Amino acid sequence: MKNTNSDGVSSCVQHYFTFSDNAQWSEKIERLSQAFLCQSHISQQMDVKGLQHQFQFVDIPMNGCSEQAFLAEITQAVLPYSINTGSPYFIGHMTALLPNFMRPLAKLKSTLNQNMVKLETANATTFYEKQALAMLHKAIYDRQAAEYQQWLSSNHHPLGAITSGGTLANMMALQLARARSLAKYGDVEALGVSGLMQRAGYQRAVVIVSELGHYSIKKSLGILGLGKDNLITIPVDDHQRMDIVALRKALLQCQKDRDHVVAIVGIAGTTECGSFDPLDQIAALAQQFGHYFHVDGAWGGALVLSKKYRHLLKGIEQADSVTIDGHKQLYLPMGMGVLMLKEPQSSAAIANEANYIIRRNSFDLGRFSVEGSRPANVFYLQAGLKLLGREGYAEVLDGNIDTTKQMAVDVDDLAEFELLTSPQSNIFLYRYLPQSMRTKKQLSKADNDFIDVCNVRLQSVQKSQGNSFVSRTLFKYKGGGTVVALRVVIANPLTTLAHCQAVLNEQKALAHEVQCLLQPLAAEYD
Ligand SMILES: *Cc1c(COP(=O)(O)O)cnc(C)c1O
């Protein structure tokens, strides 16, 4: 739709840059959104080549196209092949249905278009964000009311930071750990890692995490100049939790080798199988050795709001910092993580300043963040915490874990499947066993290879059919070898045991076909 500008030339600018809502556009988008959520399929089938083929045209149109043409493209080329992550049969990833109040809030957020970097572009939302962080902080650390009053009215005590996700929250935690652990030798952000290490007389700086650590930890070591190779990984026990004896040994070895320990990272809810490290025991060791202790609770940190399962987080209140992903189990829209700091004054070590924008001593939130300009995602966090409340979150989180545990019992009972990890929370691993493998006492390497091929194929066929979805990973099997595992993540409060059983039934039916079609494709091992 185009108006005419003063030169009599057709222009869409006047049409779009206006305060009034484009009702037709809003209505159409709303209808597309509803239709997307209500479809029974997870996604329609189209291979990667087909998808690439649809988006080949690279010239920016000289004149804007019509709204109708734009929506037609979305409707035909994008929506049918997008993933309905809200489907109750989508039980393989950490992304699920969001509460319906988030959708209109997204509109409010983009309408206000605040920039959280500084007070001059955020004002009220700055303090709205501080409040939301304080609420989460209290749920984890439960400090005195007077302390929260002091921190909320101070411009030097951020209780944490809202980030674009768990990766960035983990990176900020390690940035802070790097600065704090080296502070007595100088300012690492000014002098750089290598300069400071020389001065301190260390060979290298290391970070310690279990072998199930999320790859964002390793990535952070690369970005922070510590070196990815300097990540020390500690083996896990039979319950996929960090082995504490091995941790102690590693810490002693670091002392002997004069390796500088930047941080020990405990995981609250591993990405692979939802296991929880013994945080209280890690905290005790961190304290004994005088090291920074970070908890990566990107997945499981939200269980501070659970009643039944909060005990899995025992010791989290001793962590110097905690990551919780907003867009995972806080049910906030994609693009939102949270970092919490035990001692709000500690962040001075990573404060930034710039004269024109984030002034020293100001309330500008940008003083303490890696990111610069940043959206007011705080609306989502506030809405989640206030509209759902602790009870609402507890009901969702506890319900998902209960459903997961019931599904695992079913898997364990079925001859067609082998349960690989029993769920501590709402993730577990299992695999399909072809008929000929079910009665064997001992599986050889060749047997496991054959089972692997079946499971890769099974997962791939199930995904491409688009009725239901579980994901796939690798799992260290008894005896040391690595096997292909199917991975269930139950994060949708609408997913019931009946949905889970339907997913398993589909797998049983598909597995029969798959065994007849055993032509493993190298590309499926991606
Ligand atoms: C998802 C996840 C992350 C990374 O979070 P993003 O939001 O994907 O950046 C880090 N750690 C764990 C344990 C996770 O599950």
Side-chain angles (χ1 to χ4, degrees), residues 128-143 148 151-152 157-163 165-166 168-174 176-177 180 292-298 301-302 304-305 316-326 330 336-347 350 368 378 381 385:
Y128 200 41
E129 179 165 312
K130 280 173 80 102
Q131 181 193 40
L133 288 171
M135 287 193 281
L136 266 187
H137 193 283
K138 189 157 191 295
I140 296 172
Y141 293 108
D142 198 22
R143 302 281 285 263
Y148 287 106
W151 292 330
L152 281 172
H157 297 96
L159 290 120
I162 291 183
T163 66
L168 207 66
N170 280 340
M171 195 189 96
M172 279 183 70
L174 293 179
L176 182 58
R180 263 177 57 183
Y292 188 101
F293 175 37
H294 173 64
V295 168
D296 181 1
V304 291
L305 302 172
I316 195 171
E317 71 288 345
Q318 295 174 63
D320 293 294
S321 51
V322 175
T323 289
I324 299 182
D325 239 335
L330 291 178
M336 173 126 193
V338 181
L339 177 68
M340 292 278 112
L341 303 175
K342 182 164 100 185
E343 298 302 338
Q345 61 274 20
S346 69
S347 60
I350 55 167
F368 301 102
V378 61
L381 179 57
L385 296 176

Side-chain angles (χ1 to χ4, degrees), residues 164-406:
S164 64
T167 296
L168 207 66
N170 280 340
M171 195 189 96
M172 279 183 70
L174 293 179
Q175 180 197 12
L176 182 58
R178 185 184 66 166
R180 263 177 57 183
S181 67
L182 289 166
K184 65 170 178 269
Y185 305 105
D187 177 357
V188 68
E189 302 223 339
L191 299 169
V193 177
S194 61
L196 206 58
M197 296 294 284
Q198 250 169 24
R199 187 187 279 184
Y202 286 116
Q203 288 299 312
R204 60 172 192 159
V206 300
V207 169
I208 300 176
V209 69
S210 95
E211 60 184 312
L212 292 179
H214 187 267
Y215 72 96
S216 58
I217 303 292
K218 191 175 236 184
K219 187 155 64 170
S220 300
L221 264 70
I223 295 168
L224 293 170
L226 300 171
K228 288 183 181 177
D229 290 352
N230 296 321
L231 182 68
I232 295 180
T233 52
I234 306 295
V236 291
D237 63 16
D238 290 345
H239 303 287
Q240 317 303 318
R241 303 149 34 112
M242 185 189 271
D243 178 340
I244 287 296
V245 175
L247 173 62
R248 174 185 286 279
K249 229 192 250 169
L251 290 170
L252 291 170
Q253 191 64 42
C254 287
Q255 275 183 339
K256 224 165 96 197
D257 297 344
R258 276 199 67 69
D259 285 340
H260 171 69
V261 177
V262 168
I264 307 171
V265 179
I267 313 169
T270 58
T271 317
E272 292 286 279
C273 55
S275 52
F276 287 73
D277 283 342
L279 302 180
D280 52 346
Q281 294 177 48
I282 301 175
L285 279 178
Q287 194 182 17
Q288 185 192 330
F289 283 81
H291 297 322
Y292 188 101
F293 175 37
H294 173 64
V295 168
D296 181 1
W299 178 248
L303 290 183
V304 291
L305 302 172
S306 158
K307 282 195 207 124
K308 209 166 156 186
Y309 298 103
R310 165 137 195 166
H311 66 88
L312 292 169
L313 298 170
K314 198 165 145 233
I316 195 171
E317 71 288 345
Q318 295 174 63
D320 293 294
S321 51
V322 175
T323 289
I324 299 182
D325 239 335
H327 57 220
K328 288 181 181 167
Q329 300 212 81
L330 291 178
Y331 293 86
L332 316 180
M334 195 51 59
M336 173 126 193
V338 181
L339 177 68
M340 292 278 112
L341 303 175
K342 182 164 100 185
E343 298 302 338
Q345 61 274 20
S346 69
S347 60
I350 55 167
N352 310 294
E353 273 155 33
N355 285 335
Y356 73 99
I357 168 168
I358 35 182
R359 295 188 189 94
R360 192 197 308 235
N361 296 329
S362 73
F363 279 95
D364 299 344
L365 291 174
R367 286 171 63 215
F368 301 102
S369 62
V370 172
E371 284 158 286
S373 297
R374 196 163 56 76
N377 285 336
V378 61
F379 281 110
Y380 304 141
L381 179 57
Q382 283 274 5
L385 296 176
K386 288 178 180 168
L387 294 177
L388 288 172
R390 290 189 85 115
E391 289 285 347
Y393 274 113
E395 189 180 329
V396 170
L397 297 167
D398 295 352
N400 288 338
I401 297 179
D402 292 344
T403 307
T404 309
K405 292 193 168 189
Q406 289 165 355

